[in-house]
Amino acid sequence: MRSDSPLFTADRVSCTVPSPDGDRTVFSGLSFAIGRGEIVDLVGPSGSGKSSLLTAFARLNPHASGSFALAGRDAGSFTPQRWRREVAYLPQKPILPGDTVADAIRLPFTLAVRADSTVPAGGGDGDARDGGRRIGLVGRFARLFRDDAAHARGMLPDARIRETLDAMGCGDIDLTRRPHDLSGGQAARVSLARTLLTEPKVLLADEVDAGLDDENAAKVASIMAYAAGRGMAIVRIRHRPPDGRASRVATLADGALTWTDATGSATGATNGRETA
């Protein structure tokens, strides 16, 4: 489901980082736009600032500035947490806390439930004494966490997690398996599954196929293409050869973006803004 109107836009994006020799400008004044259902590959030499640009889009980069909008709505009208749910950054190295794969995948849902939960401020039975108050608080927090986990399981049941993992070629991964027992490629796919299940409008994928063999990288690319077909906009940092999934390629080098289309033809750009 492609759309010619931009879903996400970025203007005047700059990044300056401190260094022993003084501040270093990574890029300055860049512009970027992507439509619903579009896949754009972001390529360029190592150290050119590709990850810095994606984290700037997600409002995760303290050294970056710029103007960002989602569906015409300025980023400033979102809370940072809401923005990052809608414009989701997927790092190259998976972070999978939890006792099991299911726990790790369900974490965003657990946190969302917890954010809406409150611990009663008033004391309960036995809270008049210091010891009773301490025990009462511990008990309430323990119940709160158990309730959060149960609610999250209702929002994201095991069956849906299983279906997603199977579609990503992870049929061999047991939901009760410990995340630290996964291979690098398996962990990358589990991390991708977790992000896709939160249904962001924009996915910023930072070379998530770097640890995968060609077969599994193709499976991940197919899943992203399926998500794009449902309207998700996807920006992928890649060092692999083109796989035919992207409609455009943005090359970041020497602080500037240049653009080519799916055929490799230049579209024309000046400092990241398309001119043709």
Side-chain angles (χ1 to χ4, degrees), residues 65-84:
S65 62
S67 176
F68 310 102
L70 182 67
R73 182 180 170 189
D74 187 83
S77 66
F78 293 78
T79 64
Q81 293 78 12
R82 181 66 184 178
W83 179 264
R84 291 161 194 160

Side-chain angles (χ1 to χ4, degrees), residues 27-91:
F27 48 75
S28 179
L30 299 185
S31 295
F32 189 98
I34 185 171
R36 289 179 177 84
E38 186 177 14
I39 297 176
V40 169
D41 283 349
L42 178 61
V43 302
S46 296
S48 59
K50 299 183 297 296
S51 294
S52 296
L53 186 58
L54 286 200
T55 53
F57 292 168
R59 297 175 64 188
L60 287 167
N61 187 338
H63 304 296
S65 62
S67 176
F68 310 102
L70 182 67
R73 182 180 170 189
D74 187 83
S77 66
F78 293 78
T79 64
Q81 293 78 12
R82 181 66 184 178
W83 179 264
R84 291 161 194 160
R85 284 199 295 270
E86 301 287 4
V87 182
Y89 174 73
L90 185 60

Side-chain angles (χ1 to χ4, degrees), residues 17-24:
V17 297
S19 72
D21 299 323
D23 290 349
R24 180 177 69 89

Side-chain angles (χ1 to χ4, degrees), residues 89-170:
Y89 174 73
L90 185 60
Q92 180 178 342
K93 294 183 179 180
I95 301 172
L96 300 172
D99 293 332
T100 68
V101 167
D103 288 342
I105 290 177
R106 211 175 270 123
L107 179 64
F109 296 83
T110 304
L111 294 176
V113 172
R114 189 165 300 166
D116 293 334
S117 301
T118 58
V119 178
D125 292 341
D127 281 355
R129 299 181 304 277
D130 286 346
R133 184 180 298 111
R134 205 156 33 242
I135 293 170
L137 284 173
V138 170
R140 284 200 295 274
F141 274 115
R143 288 194 299 273
L144 175 64
F145 294 157
R146 284 196 299 269
D147 290 347
D148 290 348
H151 193 174
R153 282 193 295 272
M155 295 170 64
L156 185 61
D158 284 356
R160 188 178 175 201
I161 297 176
R162 180 75 273 158
E163 179 184 6
T164 301
L165 290 179
D166 288 348
M168 298 183 69
C170 299

Side-chain angles (χ1 to χ4, degrees), residues 3 7 48 71 81 115 133 158 173 177 182 184 209 213 250-251:
S3 173
L7 171 64
S48 59
Q81 293 78 12
R133 184 180 298 111
D158 284 356
I173 298 178
R177 189 172 178 181
L182 300 173
D209 59 0
D213 58 28
T251 301

Side-chain angles (χ1 to χ4, degrees), residues 156-225:
L156 185 61
D158 284 356
R160 188 178 175 201
I161 297 176
R162 180 75 273 158
E163 179 184 6
T164 301
L165 290 179
D166 288 348
M168 298 183 69
C170 299
D172 58 321
I173 298 178
D174 193 317
L175 296 186
T176 61
R177 189 172 178 181
R178 292 185 178 277
H180 62 71
D181 291 335
L182 300 173
S183 69
Q186 289 171 327
R189 293 195 300 277
V190 167
S191 180
L192 174 59
R194 178 178 62 188
T195 302
L196 293 181
L197 281 165
T198 65
E199 299 182 340
K201 290 183 173 61
V202 181
L203 173 64
L204 309 171
D206 194 343
E207 205 178 350
V208 297
D209 59 0
L212 307 182
D213 58 28
D214 289 344
E215 180 181 358
N216 284 310
K219 290 178 181 178
V220 168
S222 295
I223 293 298
M224 288 191 183

